[in-house]
Amino acid sequence: MTRPLKFVDQNIDDYAMKVTYDPVKGTGKLVYNISLVKNEDFEYAVSVLKDASKTGVSVSGLVKFGSSGENIAGYVVPEGCTAICTVCSITFDGLLIRRGIPINPIGGGVVEVEDRAPVRFTHIILYEHTTIDPLQVLISQQITSVNDVMRKGSGNILANIREFHMEAEPLVGRVLDELADSSFTGILEVGVPNIPLLGVPGSPQYISIVAVGGTNPMAAIREGGRWVQTQAMKGLMDVREFVEIRDY
């Protein structure tokens, strides 16, 4: 029997509904991405991850490493490679859904940053029109400059955008307050009702919110001339399996 095509917005809904992460208690399951780097590039990758966490271009400082041959949730790390699991920003969608806040994932793209302030989306791929994660596609296009953003404050980073109804604004505010003291730091910009956010129009009576892409550190590693392979939204994992990169 032929499987029907499954678009990314459907995958987001599936994963977000299963998120149990509690940012206050630091427990539960969150959505993760998995990337591969060559073993000889591991130390370089760690330094990039630390810089990304410090400068706020990553969703979280939480990471999990896997050695060659190690089994990570059914995935065996290839010989000669090290796996890096990072937090996916779709975890935020799950936090909203757990509070009874319906969300509409819009898309993922590249955001221009000037003096550490987001200016506009320069490229965007709508979730409802693709079966491949947009950020996974855009990393391969070599149109990011994450390292420039980390070092100079200006450049292009990966980000995604979703929207929620304006009546839910107080509830969303509480979630954002909880995240302020957690390991999840990836909120880039929050809009106002009926106004486009970073150049992307929303639905009437809805508010858009932009989060940095969880694969930004991998884009930075690729910009450094190193080989990296990424799979976004790989699955769900208990937050207790992760460690803070600053403590590594």
Side-chain angles (χ1 to χ4, degrees):
M1 184 175 177
T2 303
R3 284 187 176 184
L5 283 175
K6 195 167 187 179
F7 291 87
V8 173
D9 58 341
Q10 297 170 305
N11 283 328
I12 290 174
D13 287 341
D14 288 348
Y15 281 124
M17 290 289 290
K18 297 173 184 175
V19 169
T20 58
Y21 174 56
D22 186 324
V24 176
K25 297 178 181 178
T27 59
K29 292 185 177 181
L30 43 71
V31 186
Y32 73 97
N33 310 309
I34 191 167
S35 302
L36 297 175
V37 297
K38 298 295 185 182
N39 287 341
E40 58 266 29
D41 294 330
F42 176 66
E43 293 301 325
Y44 174 77
V46 169
S47 68
V48 171
L49 286 162
K50 288 184 175 180
D51 288 343
S53 177
K54 189 185 305 180
T55 55
V57 299
S58 63
V59 171
S60 170
L62 294 176
V63 295
K64 175 182 172 64
F65 299 114
S67 304
S68 299
E70 186 174 340
N71 189 311
I72 301 177
Y75 175 79
V76 179
V77 182
E79 191 66 31
C81 295
T82 298
I84 305 173
C85 299
T86 56
V87 178
C88 179
S89 58
I90 300 306
T91 299
F92 177 66
D93 299 63
L95 294 177
L96 297 183
I97 288 175
R98 287 190 65 215
R99 293 296 183 89
I101 305 167
I103 56 100
N104 175 31
I106 297 175
V110 176
V111 168
E112 179 185 356
V113 177
E114 289 185 5
D115 295 327
R116 306 208 176 275
V119 178
R120 65 189 177 104
F121 274 93
T122 58
H123 301 80
I124 191 165
I125 300 174
L126 301 181
Y127 289 133
E128 63 180 342
H129 294 153
T130 178
T131 57
I132 304 173
D133 183 87
L135 304 191
Q136 193 171 318
V137 173
L138 291 166
I139 283 180
S140 67
Q141 299 305 300
Q142 300 181 345
I143 53 178
T144 62
S145 48
V146 179
N147 282 305
D148 285 344
V149 174
M150 291 193 294
R151 295 169 185 165
K152 305 173 185 177
S154 297
N156 298 315
I157 64 171
L158 300 167
N160 49 58
I161 184 169
R162 75 274 295 138
E163 62 182 6
F164 59 89
H165 197 276
M166 58 188 290
E167 295 294 335
E169 186 173 12
L171 291 175
V172 175
R174 289 176 202 164
V175 174
L176 294 176
D177 287 342
E178 291 177 0
L179 291 176
D181 296 320
S182 74
S183 297
F184 192 105
T185 57
I187 304 304
L188 190 63
E189 190 86 353
V190 181
V192 295
N194 306 318
I195 300 294
L197 182 59
L198 303 185
V200 179
S203 304
Q205 300 183 7
Y206 274 69
I207 297 174
S208 296
I209 186 165
V210 175
V212 298
T215 50
N216 271 317
M218 304 308 132
I221 293 170
R222 181 185 289 267
E223 290 167 17
R226 313 302 173 100
W227 179 86
V228 61
Q229 185 179 83
T230 297
Q231 183 175 346
M233 284 193 293
K234 175 63 176 174
L236 289 109
M237 187 179 295
D238 195 299
V239 68
R240 288 172 292 188
E241 294 192 39
F242 291 77
V243 296
E244 278 285 350
I245 188 63
R246 64 173 179 264
D247 298 331
Y248 189 80

